[in-house]
């Protein structure tokens, strides 16, 4: 009965989308794709552009991998996935170059390096090669937006403290002394470390609360 | 064409613009394999080797692509070369030392998705290095990567004995240490410029 199956499918596809945003957030929970997370988050706008570019590649490669999943021989699947990803990254590279040359210069080699973002290969292998096209697209979208969210968390903090502005808009009065260290490489490590610390803390607290509730009931 | 001297290129790639601590390349193996000093050293060796081979190959491919006027194939052909080099190294290590093969585990095939190697190929193309300069650049980057990995492993081995608050343990702590290391490497700025 197709009618009775409908709600079940809808519930699970919402979950495909939602899980990437928070519960299985690629950066904070799975700690995947660290290199661009640290490298391009010295300002909010760079972080946003990188996040959207990655989402674009993730959605399209997930869709194509899922479409071809019955034709790709198991032995060469990783190589095939990488080729598919590399194709879309080349597209994005030329696209960004066409939209804004400044942005392309600011992101530098890191657009090309989306190819080796373990997040994308990981989703192709773990999700898209086993599920239908629609669910793979939703999964890619969720994971991509979760990744963008994490990049913004880092980029926002680093830009506010390091340059005293957000998306190029000055936030503090003229007397503010920017913390240069935040936009330097070491600031990236510190900020990400602190965010992970916060997430660890939240996770532990939720775990503890769950235990308390279990004991009480 | 680029006229940097070989010594400058080497110093720049290994210390001043250290691939791990200044460019954030190869963070995954840096966080993943830096638990033990022995594994870290061998991982560094494997990465150095793959870097050298893929650097030479990338130089050849770049010349070829320029000749046939197809720059849009650059990324795809680089990644194919790197993937096959890694496959080669994997078979080699499996034959020579099965113990090392097991110790490196999943991180060996993951060298393919180590951004440091693809970045090396892209940087040398962007900077217009000739063959000799490319090889020196690869050596510098490889030794810089190994140096960062070994330093990190040394610190983490000592930390095993220290008492650390529960919340900070794991990746968060490693990232903090990496931040401090990165601050220390800032001291090299200006050397070899």
């Amino acid at each position: 009965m197709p009618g009775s199956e409908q709600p079940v499918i809808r519930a699970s596809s919402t979950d495909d989308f939602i899980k990437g945003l928070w519960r299985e957030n690629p950066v904070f929970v799975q700690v995947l794709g660290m290199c661009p997370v640290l490298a391009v988050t010295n300002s909010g706008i760079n972080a946003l552009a990188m996040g959207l570019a990655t989402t674009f590649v993730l959605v399209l490669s997930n869709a194509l991998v899922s479409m071809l999943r019955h034709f790709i021989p198991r032995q060469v699947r990783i190589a095939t996935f990488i080729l598919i990803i590399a194709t879309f990254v080349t597209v994005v590279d030329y696209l960004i170059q066409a939209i804004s040359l400044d942005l392309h210069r600011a992101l530098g080699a890191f657009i090309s390096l989306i190819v080796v973002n373990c997040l994308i290969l990981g989703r192709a292998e773990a999700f898209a090669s086993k599920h239908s096209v629609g669910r793979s697209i939703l999964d890619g979208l969720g994971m991509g937006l979760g990744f963008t969210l994490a990049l913004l968390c880092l980029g926002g903090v680093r830009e506010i403290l390091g340059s005293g502005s957000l998306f190029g808009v000055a936030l503090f009065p003229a007397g503010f002394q920017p913390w240069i260290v935040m936009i330097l490489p070491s600031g990236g490590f510190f900020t990400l470390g602190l965010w992970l610390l916060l997430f660890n803390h939240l996770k532990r607290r939720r775990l503890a609360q769950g235990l308390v509730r279990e004991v009480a009931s | 064409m680029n006229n940097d001297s070989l010594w400058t290129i080497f110093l720049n790639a290994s210390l001043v613009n250290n691939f791990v601590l200044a460019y954030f390349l190869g963070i995954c193996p840096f966080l993943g394999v830096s638990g033990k000093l022995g594994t870290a050293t061998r991982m560094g060796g494997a990465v150095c080797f793959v870097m050298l081979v893929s650097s030479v190959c990338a130089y050849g491919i770049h010349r070829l692509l320029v000749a046939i006027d197809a720059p849009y194939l650059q990324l795809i052909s680089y990644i194919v070369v790197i993937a096959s080099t890694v496959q080669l190294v994997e078979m080699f290590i499996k034959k020579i030392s099965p113990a090392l093969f097991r110790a490196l585990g999943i991180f060996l095939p993951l060298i393919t998705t180590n951004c440091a190697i693809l970045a090396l190929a892209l940087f040398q193309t962007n900077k217009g290095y000739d063959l000799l300069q490319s090889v020196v650049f690869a050596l510098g980057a490889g030794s810089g990567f190994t140096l960062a990995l070994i330093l990190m492993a040394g610190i983490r081995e000592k930390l095993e004995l220290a008492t650390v608050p529960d919340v900070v343990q794991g990746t968060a702590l490693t990232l903090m240490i990496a931040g401090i290391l990165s601050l220390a490497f800032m001291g090299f700025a200006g050397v070899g410029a």
Side-chain angles (χ1 to χ4, degrees):
Chain A
M1 288 270 281
S4 60
E5 274 171 22
Q6 209 56 31
V8 180
I9 291 170
R10 197 173 298 145
S12 79
S13 38
T14 325
D15 190 56
D16 285 338
F17 178 65
I18 296 291
K19 72 176 189 298
L21 291 182
W22 189 256
R23 188 159 40 83
E24 291 180 22
N25 187 295
V27 176
F28 293 137
V29 180
Q30 302 185 54
V31 202
L32 283 176
M34 284 297 106
C35 308
V37 171
L38 292 163
V40 299
T41 51
N42 48 13
S43 79
I45 192 80
N46 285 358
L48 186 64
M50 187 66 192
L52 292 182
T54 309
T55 310
F56 178 82
V57 176
L58 196 54
V59 169
L60 289 180
S61 66
N62 256 8
L64 195 60
V65 165
S66 173
M67 268 179 235
L68 296 176
R69 71 185 187 280
H70 298 303
F71 304 104
I72 300 174
R74 270 199 73 74
Q75 294 84 356
V76 294
R77 65 183 194 289
I78 300 288
T80 320
F81 295 164
I82 289 205
L83 277 185
I84 292 175
I85 296 168
T87 313
F88 287 121
V89 172
T90 310
V91 171
V92 162
D93 192 20
Y94 281 96
L95 210 62
I96 293 186
Q97 221 166 0
I99 295 172
S100 161
L101 211 53
D102 286 335
L103 195 60
H104 191 264
R105 216 165 287 141
L107 294 178
F110 280 95
I111 305 171
S112 310
L113 288 177
I114 298 179
V115 178
V116 283
N117 190 328
C118 9
L119 168 64
I120 300 178
L121 189 62
R123 289 331 283 174
E125 163 77 8
F127 198 92
S129 61
K130 298 190 184 84
H131 293 90
S132 67
V133 179
R135 289 187 62 185
S136 301
I137 291 178
L138 279 178
D139 176 75
L141 206 60
M143 285 291 164
L145 291 180
F147 186 71
T148 314
L149 184 76
L151 281 179
L152 280 177
C153 284
L154 252 88
V157 169
R158 286 180 71 187
E159 194 183 345
I160 291 172
L161 294 178
S163 328
S165 60
L166 189 60
F167 293 112
V169 182
L171 290 180
F172 296 108
F176 176 72
Q177 191 69 42
W179 305 6
I180 301 291
V181 69
M182 293 311 273
I183 44 174
L184 292 177
S186 45
F189 285 117
F190 287 135
T191 321
L192 184 59
L194 288 173
W195 273 110
L196 285 179
L197 214 152
L198 181 72
F199 264 70
N200 269 353
H201 178 67
L202 290 178
K203 216 186 321 178
R204 292 168 62 88
R205 209 176 58 178
R206 204 176 312 146
L207 217 64
Q209 278 172 351
L211 277 181
V212 167
R213 217 169 294 141
E214 235 167 64
V215 170
S217 67
Chain B
M1 271 292 101
N2 198 302
N3 290 323
D4 292 348
S5 75
L6 297 180
W7 182 234
T8 315
I9 293 174
F10 183 83
L11 269 186
N12 255 323
S14 59
L15 295 179
V16 184
N17 291 322
N18 185 289
F19 266 43
V20 179
L21 297 170
Y23 282 159
F24 303 114
L25 299 165
I27 298 289
C28 303
F30 180 62
L31 298 181
V33 207
S34 60
K36 291 263 181 312
L37 204 53
T39 332
T41 320
R42 290 182 205 124
M43 179 70 182
V47 167
C48 275
F49 180 74
V50 177
M51 273 185 169
L52 260 179
V53 176
S54 48
S55 156
V56 174
C57 293
Y59 179 75
I61 290 176
H62 176 62
R63 296 302 292 267
L64 185 73
L65 290 182
V66 168
I68 62 170
D69 194 24
Y72 48 85
L73 285 180
Q74 180 179 319
L75 199 57
I76 298 180
S77 40
Y78 281 3
I79 196 79
V80 170
V81 167
I82 291 170
S84 24
T85 316
V86 171
Q87 196 71 55
L88 208 73
V89 172
E90 201 179 333
M91 289 192 290
F92 185 71
I93 293 184
K94 201 173 180 180
K95 189 95 181 161
I96 298 288
S97 157
L100 174 60
F101 184 76
R102 269 193 302 277
L104 289 178
I106 183 70
F107 286 97
L108 198 58
L110 279 184
I111 299 181
T112 312
T113 47
N114 182 340
C115 30
I117 293 167
L118 182 63
L120 178 92
L122 291 169
F123 284 160
Q124 76 178 34
T125 315
N126 287 348
K127 290 181 177 168
Y129 287 154
D130 62 23
L131 186 58
L132 191 58
Q133 284 174 321
S134 301
V135 169
V136 172
F137 186 54
L139 271 177
S143 54
F145 180 81
T146 315
L147 178 67
L149 210 60
I150 290 176
L151 282 176
M152 194 65 184
I155 297 176
R156 278 179 70 176
E157 278 195 346
K158 286 266 183 277
L159 270 179
E160 299 257 302
L161 307 171
T163 40
V164 179
D166 277 357
V167 198
V168 200
Q169 251 158 15
T171 323
L173 179 67
T174 318
L175 281 167
M176 294 291 175
I177 302 167
I180 299 170
L181 266 183
S182 164
L183 265 185
F185 266 68
M186 297 274 314
F188 288 115
V191 178

